[in-house]
Amino acid sequence: MKLYEKGSINIWSDPYIRKQLLCAHINPESDAASRKPDTINTTIDWVLKNRAAPGSLIDFGCGPGLYANEISERGWHVVGIDINEESVEYAERYAASKGLSARYVLGSYLEKLHVGIFDIVTCIYCDFGALTPDDRMSFLENVKSLLTVNGTFVLDVFGEQICQIKSEGRSWSREEEHNFWSESPCYVLTECQHFKEHNVWGEKYVVIPDTGQPFSTVIWTHYFTVESITLLLADSGFNVTEINQDLVQESDFSSSEVIFIRAEKSNPINSVR
């Protein structure tokens, strides 16, 4: 595996796999794709704390709207964006059934967005750490362009503990029909590699179905310290105002060491020395 290698498909937009991801998102007993309800509610309370009145918020990588719809129920003007069509449609149906004003956009948060200006931008469940350095810069520019002056950016990233639950190596498995990867039975070849000098793990999956063409996907997982994420955000025009490492008490899918960051967009006028 090469550093920042890309697979032949994107699992979040693949017509079959995106349906399996939606099922994982809305399963309240698992945190494989979204965190469990108690953690979601605790996170929302923290995101909105010290806000005297509802404002506006956009959720990057909103999935099926588990955060966005709850925040909308609390009186906020909310927009969610995601590339998984199944998840966006689910979020829209839920919002409509509850009479919520939340609006959803099918698209990528790496592309220029024309959806308004917001008091808060959120990106939850460590999406930021899955981005390559080049994509990370595009992402942060989009965040800044959508925030009000001194607007707030809330995100979370994995800490170094992720290295204790991952291990390098290669393996394979035989999956029956209607599995996560394919409707038909398939072989799944897996490779996991640690690029220590870049603080990132790569997981590559090659799927060989009995019917259809083989395909691959690669998932990147960066990890950070409080100091490294603070410096990275500062270099991109954000001042970190609060760190919380207690919102995720347990995880049955990945590391429970998650660093939540609240940062404000730097005011260029105030930054002049």
Side-chain angles (χ1 to χ4, degrees):
M1 188 193 317
K2 296 180 180 179
L3 181 63
Y4 301 132
E5 177 181 341
K6 293 185 177 181
S8 62
I9 68 159
N10 183 324
I11 62 173
W12 288 275
S13 56
D14 177 82
Y16 176 80
I17 299 175
R18 70 190 187 200
K19 295 178 182 178
Q20 314 314 309
L21 287 167
L22 173 59
C23 291
H25 273 301
I26 61 178
N27 179 358
E29 303 301 321
S30 170
D31 50 19
S34 292
R35 297 197 175 103
K36 296 176 183 178
D38 285 348
T39 303
I40 290 174
N41 289 325
T42 300
T43 301
I44 291 172
D45 290 342
W46 182 76
V47 169
L48 302 183
K49 76 171 188 175
N50 300 326
R51 293 281 175 168
S56 56
L57 179 149
I58 183 167
D59 187 19
F60 279 15
C62 66
L66 302 181
Y67 294 85
N69 280 328
E70 173 61 27
I71 294 170
S72 179
E73 287 197 59
R74 299 189 189 194
W76 281 66
H77 166 67
V78 178
V79 173
I81 179 166
D82 202 281
I83 60 173
N84 185 331
E85 186 174 358
E86 302 292 330
S87 288
V88 168
E89 290 177 353
Y90 179 95
E92 289 175 331
R93 289 194 302 271
Y94 183 92
S97 72
K98 298 293 185 179
L100 302 176
S101 63
R103 183 165 64 92
Y104 291 93
V105 177
L106 178 63
S108 170
Y109 51 49
L110 298 178
E111 298 174 359
K112 192 69 175 177
L113 301 169
H114 302 280
V115 289
I117 301 296
F118 301 86
D119 299 312
I120 301 176
V121 174
T122 56
C123 184
I124 305 297
Y125 205 71
C126 300
D127 271 28
F128 185 76
L131 302 176
T132 66
D134 287 344
D135 284 345
R136 188 188 293 161
M137 293 302 103
S138 299
F139 173 92
L140 290 172
E141 285 302 315
N142 274 347
V143 171
K144 285 194 290 186
S145 71
L146 293 173
L147 279 174
T148 58
V149 175
N150 297 324
T152 300
F153 176 36
V154 176
L155 72 158
D156 61 341
V157 296
F158 286 119
E160 294 176 304
Q161 189 186 76
I162 193 78
C163 297
Q164 299 176 18
I165 66 170
K166 289 185 178 291
S167 59
E168 293 187 301
R170 295 178 177 179
S171 63
W172 67 273
S173 63
R174 173 69 175 171
E175 304 294 335
E176 299 302 322
E177 62 181 0
H178 304 301
N179 58 76
F180 176 83
W181 297 104
S182 172
E183 286 189 275
S184 72
C186 63
Y187 289 98
V188 180
L189 314 181
T190 305
E191 178 182 2
C192 185
Q193 187 169 341
H194 188 194
F195 296 85
K196 295 181 182 179
E197 65 276 21
H198 298 276
N199 294 342
V200 64
W201 287 84
E203 293 173 275
K204 181 177 181 179
Y205 300 90
V206 177
V207 180
I208 307 171
D210 288 3
T211 58
Q213 294 297 314
F215 61 87
S216 64
T217 189
V218 184
I219 299 172
W220 296 101
T221 303
H222 289 89
Y223 54 91
F224 301 84
T225 63
V226 170
E227 292 75 16
S228 67
I229 189 63
T230 298
L231 180 60
L232 187 157
L233 291 172
D235 288 343
S236 298
F238 293 92
N239 296 320
V240 172
T241 59
E242 186 177 1
I243 297 289
N244 191 322
Q245 295 177 264
D246 299 320
L247 292 176
V248 179
Q249 295 298 318
E250 61 178 357
S251 173
D252 56 23
F253 180 73
S254 60
S255 172
S256 60
E257 187 196 7
V258 179
I259 304 168
F260 280 81
I261 306 102
R262 191 192 309 274
E264 289 187 354
K265 184 171 72 170
S266 302
N267 188 329
I269 295 177
N270 295 336
S271 299
V272 176
R273 296 190 175 120

